Amino acid sequence: MNEQIMSEQGPTSFLVFSASLRKDSINTLLAKLAAQIIEKNGGTVDYASMSEFDCPSFNQDLEVNDFYPPGASEFKERILANDAFIISSPEYNGSVPGLIKNAIDWVSRYRPQPFNERHSLLMSASPSMGGGNKALWSLRMPLEHLGSRVFPDMFSLAVAHKAFTPEGTLADEKLSMRFEQNLVAFMGLVEAAKHYPCIKKAWVEFLGEKTDMVTERVE
Ligand SMILES: Cc1cc2nc3c(=O)[nH]c(=O)nc-3n(C[C@H](O)[C@H](O)[C@H](O)COP(=O)(O)O)c2cc1C
């Protein structure tokens, strides 16, 4: 795998972060574990904290003189600086936490639109049996809408408060293997897309949509 990932253009780089601001976040534990596994398999990790990307509530009235909050500009720069991004998100009330959707909304206002054609992988961790999986379906929707290539396989860690060893690995050996396999499969796809960018698409909301001044937010 290492030899495959390394190339003339350097290793494939991944922005990895948890969409939780909480100090003892289980999603942060999962994001850190993902970062370790990516590095072990020859990728480069740009690890970020959600506090770097946190933004005030989106308000179109603030969009004066090219204003963007610092969190949005940081999020945009880090998306563009890497080949792909990985989010480990909590589930709040059967959906995605507002703060990550809010940050995505801010970043979506840049042109060219930064999420377009960027590969992404979604993960979640929750004390519940569902592992926070519903958050990922909610998170997939805006990202796909914005043209991100969201990896089909998502990883949701159930009973996550009891799932980690003191060293931060997954206690269940088979689950640990499945987690690594999911990450390595994603790495392979990002690597292939980086060197063989054969799938290009225009970012529009609906392919049949007319482009005029009213729909100018699409490209
Ligand atoms: C406002 C709120 C809503 C929540 N809703 C859900 C939920 O719908 N499903 C779920 O599995 N856990 C839910 N939880 C529990 C979170 O999964 C749990 O607090 C988790 O530890 C949050 O992730 P973090 O540790 O990464 O911050 C909720 C927690 C909060 C604070």
Side-chain angles (χ1 to χ4, degrees), residues 18 20 22 24-28 90-95 125-128 132:
S18 152
S20 173
R22 200 167 77 87
D24 297 322
S25 159
I26 45 181
N27 283 281
T28 300
E91 177 177 299
Y92 284 176
N93 298 313
S95 187
S126 162
S128 75

Side-chain angles (χ1 to χ4, degrees), residues 50 124 183 194:
M50 188 65 216
S124 62
L183 283 165
K194 184 174 178 176

